[in-house]
Amino acid sequence: MDLVPLTPANDTGSTHDHAHAENQLHGHMGHDHHAMMIDDFKKRFYVVLVLTVPIVVLSPMIQHWLNWHIAFSGSQYVLFALSSVVFVYGGWPFLKGWVNEMKAKNPGMMTLIGFAITVAYVYSTATVFGLKGMDFFWELATLILIMLLGHWIEMKSIAGASRELELLVQLMAAEAHLQHGDHVMDVKTDTLKPNDIILIKPGEKIAADGIVVEGETSVNESMLTGESKPVQKKKDDKVIAGSVNGNGAIKVQVLHDMKDSYLSQVINLVNEAQKAKSKTQLLADTAARWLTTIAIVAGIVTFLYWYFNDQSLSFAIERMVTVVVICCPHALGLAVPLVVARSMALSAKNGLLIKNRTAFENARKITTLVFDKTGTLTVGKFEVVRIGAMQKEYTDNDVLQLAAALEQGSEHPIATGIMQKVKELNIQPVKAENIQALIGKGISGTVNQKQVQVVSPGYMKEKLGNSFSAIDIRAGETLVYVLVNNMPAGFIALADQIRPESYEAIKTLHQHHIKTALLTGDNAKVAESVSKELGIDQYIAEVLPHQKLEKVRELQEQGEFVAMTGDGVNDAPALAQADIGIAVGSGSDVAAETAGIVLVNSNPKDIVNLILFGRATYRKMVQNLAWATGYNVVALPLAAGILYKAGILLSPAAGAVLMSVSTVIVAINSSLLKVNNS
């Protein structure tokens, strides 16, 4: 399984194509490969460290400073030989990166480092073979040493940012116990096919998405959904690959291939989202490109200024090298990708799946959050609270039986509520034919040669107009009518409980000055009672899917930045119209196509977390960008020697230290990003 590239695939917009980044940028980077590169930098660092000691000891300038003298016949050639090894072996990743950037006509990080170390090496070599001046081999060695160290630390921090995703990858169980006839055999997970029956022993990882066919247990899904409490599972319940079985053994019927499993889709989503570019990323790329240009121009200007102001050639070159090194847009190149890597992986662990990065970053702009009611603010479990026959020839049980005939195959919350009641009363549902969904209005079919429909009050009003005398709806109730041959046979009233988390979620949104609206196909009384109880700013009831879209557009025309939450199917048009579409409660059905963000649980608190986490992520990116550019604004003039007369001068090695520290600060700041699950 490939790990995420932390910087986008190398296109003309990306300038932070740095040494270790070569492989990382060009497509995916395998975990083993990443580890090998970390080891490679580590090895080069230690070799250069050992060689730097004699180079420093033999350097005339260091000897002059420390007032000692070590010289022997040909000592300058030994110095040259050792420095050549450091330049070629230690500088190789930078020189190779420079060539690649030139080939891509995309100068960046490697160009700056490659240029700086080459100038230092060529000039110092010339002094050994006759040019008047003092070499700075020791500067070259320490510069390469610090660059290698900086890269090594930076790559380790990148590996850290990918670790959460690795953990998700590791959740994949490698093997499964396949029920084969009357015996069980161990097979590789990726060979499982739909409808296979697998055994999950206590404490094991669940090997595939599936339906429990035998046994009862509790399952820990926290790594996948962020839900900390173990979830009880019994016959006919769904289980997710990667979750951990509790203390019961269960048999599970596999739902689909491994590549379609919820976990695979989570990993793919995180991968895709990390590769996608957002506006902040493009801003960082532009800044890095400018910085590269500024560095090269400033370096040349600095050299010319000092050279023509009666300073030695070595002094002018040293200033130029320092300017170029200090400007390396390392920190800038990492400012956004590191935050992205961490935020995507953390989101996935907390049940927030980000399909569209720009939507996620824009979460900070949300001014109005539109909720779909059923299953988001409410539990979504309808219970039948009363039944009424409206014709003499039907009893309450007949009304229920007719409704059940149509609803038995449906997963809609109302259908589930009706079927639950039928079970309780031991009523046998009859068979229905030609079942068709009336989108947003109900369902129709044929039962015993009669046309039967289960429809909303809105449909009744539309169909029968004023001739229809509506049943009084009590607060909190949802009503459906059962029609036989277009005549009302009876009604069924269901009630849905408000989720306990909804109260807290609405309160937190108001504290952050985000307005709330309830958009529901349900009747006005239910909408009003839910809105009042939760303190929602406005409600719009009895709306059909296409009207939901219009309502969202209306809010946008009033200047609101609208996020819409819905369960995907009938909310699809509105989710697409909203500035940010958030699909909720999709569970294993990750591909809620029209939404930019998918919430695994239907918990409204997750929506609040998402917005606050989006704000925190954006804040981190801005902090990193501000630090990475601000540091250059201060460091560049110092490197150029602006305070030379005051006795303040940065050496190339000090410049490299500052550059590496700046990168490490960006890495640490990125790693401090957290999802607030309060």
Side-chain angles (χ1 to χ4, degrees), residues 228-240:
S228 51
K229 296 194 288 284
V231 186
Q232 286 302 122
K233 300 286 180 185
K234 55 184 188 311
K235 192 170 178 327
D236 295 338
D237 284 345
K238 261 188 188 173
V239 288
I240 308 177

Side-chain angles (χ1 to χ4, degrees), residues 156-451:
K156 281 181 80 163
S157 67
I158 285 179
S162 304
R163 204 159 290 130
E164 277 91 359
L165 190 70
E166 262 179 72
L167 289 172
L168 284 176
V169 176
Q170 286 164 13
L171 282 178
M172 296 270 194
E175 290 197 329
H177 313 303
L178 177 66
Q179 182 91 40
H180 194 270
D182 53 1
H183 67 282
V184 172
M185 54 196 245
D186 286 352
V187 296
K188 289 262 175 284
T189 308
D190 49 18
T191 62
L192 292 176
K193 295 182 297 299
N195 299 326
D196 280 349
I197 303 288
I198 54 174
L199 170 70
I200 316 286
K201 295 175 184 171
E204 285 186 336
K205 275 182 200 156
I206 290 170
D209 288 2
I211 306 280
V212 178
V213 288
E214 192 183 306
E216 276 193 34
T217 188
S218 62
V219 173
N220 180 351
E221 297 180 345
S222 61
M223 251 317 258
L224 299 158
T225 63
E227 173 54 68
S228 51
K229 296 194 288 284
V231 186
Q232 286 302 122
K233 300 286 180 185
K234 55 184 188 311
K235 192 170 178 327
D236 295 338
D237 284 345
K238 261 188 188 173
V239 288
I240 308 177
S243 51
V244 180
N245 188 15
N247 46 18
I250 49 171
K251 284 186 181 171
V252 170
Q253 182 176 7
V254 178
L255 273 176
H256 36 227
D257 296 338
M258 196 63 193
K259 66 175 187 329
D260 296 324
S261 77
Y262 170 72
L263 189 57
S264 300
Q265 293 197 47
V266 171
I267 290 162
N268 289 342
L269 276 182
V270 177
N271 260 324
E272 290 307 311
Q274 288 195 351
K275 278 190 293 183
K277 284 205 162 199
S278 69
K279 289 197 178 81
T280 326
Q281 180 78 60
L282 296 170
L283 177 71
D285 289 347
T286 311
R289 198 158 51 246
W290 272 103
L291 194 56
T292 303
T293 313
I294 290 166
I296 292 168
V297 171
I300 293 166
V301 168
T302 302
F303 170 78
L304 295 173
Y305 174 82
W306 289 115
Y307 187 64
F308 290 112
N309 268 341
D310 301 330
Q311 286 289 351
S312 65
L313 178 65
S314 71
F315 181 87
I317 285 178
E318 186 187 64
R319 285 306 90 219
M320 174 170 75
V321 168
T322 312
V323 165
V324 168
V325 164
I326 216 155
C327 274
C328 284
H330 241 186
L332 203 52
L334 284 174
V336 172
L338 274 182
V339 176
V340 168
R342 184 155 173 83
S343 71
M344 294 296 150
L346 277 179
S347 302
K349 274 175 70 174
N350 283 278
L352 317 173
L353 303 183
I354 292 151
K355 294 170 69 181
N356 177 333
R357 253 180 66 190
T358 307
F360 175 56
E361 278 178 31
N362 284 341
R364 67 183 199 285
K365 297 184 193 166
I366 294 170
T367 58
T368 295
L369 187 54
V370 175
F371 286 98
D372 172 49
K373 178 183 68 74
T374 309
T376 309
L377 292 172
T378 60
V379 179
K381 276 198 178 143
F382 281 90
E383 289 177 2
V384 174
V385 285
R386 58 190 179 118
I387 306 163
M390 295 164 76
Q391 304 276 352
K392 284 203 177 88
E393 66 258 40
Y394 296 108
T395 65
D396 289 359
N397 283 7
D398 292 340
V399 171
L400 198 58
Q401 190 176 32
L402 287 168
L406 299 188
E407 300 285 14
Q408 54 195 335
S410 168
E411 294 203 350
H412 189 281
I414 288 180
T416 325
I418 290 172
M419 295 315 295
Q420 184 63 41
K421 192 69 177 170
V422 164
K423 226 182 203 169
E424 274 172 36
L425 299 174
N426 278 331
I427 295 172
Q428 288 303 311
V430 283
K431 201 169 171 346
E433 285 154 353
N434 311 327
I435 293 179
Q436 281 176 325
L438 312 166
I439 298 286
K441 298 168 188 174
I443 190 166
S444 77
T446 316
V447 180
N448 300 333
Q449 277 92 45
K450 291 176 186 162
Q451 195 204 359

Side-chain angles (χ1 to χ4, degrees), residues 550-564:
E550 285 157 23
K551 298 293 179 193
V552 168
R553 192 182 287 136
E554 264 171 46
L555 285 166
Q556 286 169 325
E557 281 162 5
Q558 290 160 23
E560 299 291 335
F561 194 89
V562 181
M564 164 82 191

